[in-house]
Amino acid sequence: ESLCQDSSCVGFVAAYKNTPALCRTIGTRDLKVEATDYNGYSVSNSIDSCFAFVAKINKDATICFEIKNHGIADTCFMELARQNKDITLCKHVNIPQGQPNEYKFSNCYQYIALEQPMECLKVGNDSLELQNTCFWMVSYEKEDPSFCKYIVLPNDTDVTCEDYLYSLGAIATPRR
């Protein structure tokens, strides 16, 4: 790493050695700063991008917690959730201001849930609303209403997809 001339080199060395702490040296040395994947070529973004790269290469989501920039951290968690098929990592994704709660589902949870539907049960650790959305979307995408029985509604122990849609104020319309 002492021969590195730019921040991306430090990232490659940190990833190869699986030593994320090297990313912090970007701010202490006279390096050409590169954060090519994100807007704003700042030292802090380069450090965060380095952490994200090391996390992805080494499949280690714990490194994502080192990232200060919410956008870079969210991308880190989403990529690692998909890469490791670990739906619980989606819980750490922040919902951008003005976005609905389903943002997490469509940008993270769905990629795992559609391959492994029962992983939706783990989504309840984030929120029951998202867990219900998860089972509804799996049911819809797989054209299999049996997944709706896992939706949790107050005072209803035998939930159907129609019950769920009714609880949302929507009208159940079957696919044709």
Side-chain angles (χ1 to χ4, degrees):
E1 76 267 10
S2 62
L3 299 176
C4 287
Q5 299 291 315
D6 60 45
S7 59
S8 62
C9 174
V10 173
F12 282 111
V13 173
Y16 176 75
K17 290 184 171 184
N18 194 10
T19 311
L22 288 176
C23 295
R24 287 192 188 88
T25 68
I26 290 171
T28 63
R29 301 181 351 182
D30 188 25
L31 296 172
K32 180 179 171 193
V33 173
E34 294 180 6
T36 54
D37 292 338
Y38 305 96
N39 293 329
Y41 294 88
S42 68
V43 170
S44 61
N45 278 0
S46 289
I47 293 169
D48 287 346
S49 294
C50 178
F51 279 129
F53 181 71
V54 175
K56 185 174 180 181
I57 295 299
N58 292 287
K59 299 179 181 179
D60 183 354
T62 61
I63 299 169
C64 299
F65 289 105
E66 298 291 327
I67 299 171
K68 306 268 187 277
N69 178 295
H70 288 294
I72 298 172
D74 290 347
T75 300
C76 185
F77 283 117
M78 288 187 280
E79 287 180 356
L80 270 287
R82 289 183 216 157
Q83 185 177 353
N84 297 345
K85 297 192 183 324
D86 183 354
I87 204 164
T88 62
L89 294 175
C90 297
K91 180 179 181 175
H92 303 292
V93 173
N94 293 296
I95 300 172
Q97 188 173 355
Q99 292 292 325
N101 207 14
E102 285 78 22
Y103 172 88
K104 277 187 179 184
F105 181 79
S106 61
N107 287 284
C108 195
Y109 287 120
Q110 77 171 345
Y111 294 99
I112 298 144
L114 291 175
E115 289 180 25
Q116 303 170 46
M118 294 315 292
E119 289 292 292
C120 288
L121 289 170
K122 295 178 182 174
V123 177
N125 293 330
D126 191 349
S127 88
L128 187 57
E129 178 186 347
L130 282 172
Q131 177 180 306
N132 288 345
T133 299
C134 189
F135 279 119
W136 158 247
M137 289 307 295
V138 166
S139 176
Y140 180 80
E141 291 298 324
K142 293 192 173 289
E143 297 182 11
D144 182 351
S146 69
F147 288 106
C148 287
K149 69 181 175 190
Y150 298 103
I151 293 173
V152 178
L153 294 177
N155 304 318
D156 194 343
T157 56
D158 188 27
V159 178
T160 65
C161 295
E162 289 76 17
D163 294 334
Y164 176 64
L165 292 172
Y166 181 77
S167 76
L168 297 175
I171 299 171
T173 339
R175 280 189 174 177
R176 295 180 190 213

